[in-house]
Amino acid sequence: MSSTWSPSEREQERRRIRRRQRARSVLVATVVTLGVFVGLGVGITGSPGWPSVQELFFNGFHARESFDAVLEGFWINVRLFLICQPVILVLALAVALARTARSAWLVPVRLLAALYTDVFRGIPTILLVVLLAFGMPALRLEGIPTSALFWAGVALVLSYGAYVAEVFRSGIDSIHPSQIASAEALALSRAQTMRHVVVPQAVRRVVPPLLNDFVSLQKDTALVAAAGIFDAVFAARDYGNFNFNYTPLVVVAGFFVVMTVPLARFTDWLQRRYAERERAGAR
């Protein structure tokens, strides 16, 4: 004999209460959010200097006039990011592996890797861009590129490579020693252990912080404007210098927001997913 289960009156009452609580929470959150944004809007637009700010930073005519030049320069930022990102990953992983090496023969390599991360994490990225973009072409060395864009990209790679190397190293150090001991019990060499056991697990663990670093890299491609490279920021400043209007800078900001926000939201989603997996594995 089979019977169809149905919730009791008390359970149905609990569900009704929970639905009312959720609806009330959504309503309160919506009203508070709208109130805050409306208050900010009224406060800003009602300020005495708003007409001047609107004309100087939010002028529709100058936004349309500068849009094409800013877009053309923005593609330089996008290409620079797409080229630098994989190079940074390779360099950073190599440096992290060098810093975690245990062989006595690799002590000089380990010291050089530590010196690299200390030096290039200490130099501001914008200063490194200017030094390399102007300094390297001035040396006039044969076979060395003289493009300021090339050396600005090298500066970004060197700077972010140092940061990402430490992210990789933290992931490698987080692997439990029992994993390495198990690999050694299977007669795997140190190199095989790192390649097949340690590095794959470490990379999976550090994916969220890596994505955060690349969100920053997307924005910091704008630093190449300091070296006179005609990217989006330089194009906006060039237009503003001739027309005495800063609206193109707001247009550039919009371009970077459109590019970085999707990756930032993906990073947040990935972090929540990793946290849920860890909680599920701990049960």
Side-chain angles (χ1 to χ4, degrees):
M1 182 177 177
S2 61
S3 60
T4 303
W5 178 85
S6 61
S8 63
E9 288 293 332
R10 179 167 295 182
E11 176 62 21
Q12 291 178 1
E13 179 62 23
R14 291 196 190 101
R15 293 180 180 181
R16 285 193 293 269
I17 293 173
R18 284 194 289 266
R19 283 196 296 269
R20 287 197 298 269
Q21 290 175 339
R22 283 195 296 267
R24 186 165 57 250
S25 297
V26 170
L27 179 61
V28 170
T30 302
V31 171
V32 171
T33 302
L34 289 176
V36 169
F37 280 105
V38 169
L40 287 174
V42 171
I44 292 173
T45 58
S47 60
W50 171 246
S52 298
V53 171
Q54 185 179 22
E55 174 64 25
L56 196 59
F57 289 94
F58 300 99
N59 188 293
F61 170 78
H62 290 293
R64 292 188 296 271
E65 288 294 310
S66 63
F67 186 87
D68 291 339
V70 170
L71 179 61
E72 184 178 353
F74 186 69
W75 287 120
I76 294 178
N77 298 100
V78 173
R79 289 196 297 269
L80 195 61
F81 168 74
L82 294 177
I83 293 171
C84 291
Q85 181 180 9
V87 179
I88 289 169
L89 286 173
V90 174
L91 173 64
L93 184 57
V95 172
L97 290 174
R99 292 204 64 181
T100 56
R102 294 292 177 264
S103 173
W105 294 98
L106 296 177
V107 170
V109 176
R110 191 161 66 246
L111 291 176
L112 287 174
L115 180 64
Y116 162 75
T117 55
D118 290 341
V119 169
F120 286 100
R121 283 194 303 167
I123 301 176
T125 305
I126 188 171
L127 180 57
L128 194 60
V129 168
V130 173
L131 289 174
L132 291 185
F134 290 134
M136 294 305 296
L139 292 176
R140 299 181 181 178
L141 298 175
E142 291 190 10
I144 299 296
T146 58
S147 169
L149 179 60
F150 173 83
W151 288 110
V154 171
L156 291 174
V157 169
L158 291 175
S159 181
Y160 272 86
Y163 289 103
V164 175
E166 289 302 284
V167 174
F168 275 130
R169 188 166 73 94
S170 66
I172 292 172
D173 290 342
S174 70
I175 303 302
H176 198 274
S178 62
Q179 299 282 326
I180 300 175
S182 300
E184 291 175 349
L186 295 174
L188 294 180
S189 66
R190 174 73 180 181
Q192 291 173 326
T193 300
M194 296 299 293
R195 177 184 175 185
H196 298 291
V197 178
V198 176
V199 172
Q201 295 183 71
V203 170
R204 284 196 297 270
R205 291 186 179 186
V206 301
V207 166
L210 279 180
L211 291 178
N212 279 324
D213 282 335
F214 287 134
V215 169
S216 297
L217 175 62
Q218 286 179 332
K219 296 180 296 182
D220 281 352
T221 57
L223 297 178
V224 301
I229 297 168
F230 206 83
D231 74 325
V233 175
F234 192 93
R237 288 193 323 197
D238 185 62
Y239 181 94
N241 290 337
F242 279 97
N243 296 277
F244 304 101
N245 191 277
Y246 297 115
T247 300
L249 292 176
V250 178
V251 175
V252 173
F255 275 115
F256 277 102
V257 167
V258 169
M259 186 172 71
T260 58
V261 166
L263 182 56
R265 295 286 71 78
F266 175 72
T267 302
D268 293 341
W269 173 81
L270 198 61
Q271 287 176 329
R272 289 195 297 269
R273 185 178 178 186
Y274 272 83
E276 291 172 358
R277 284 183 176 181
E278 290 181 359
R279 287 195 295 268
R283 293 172 183 171

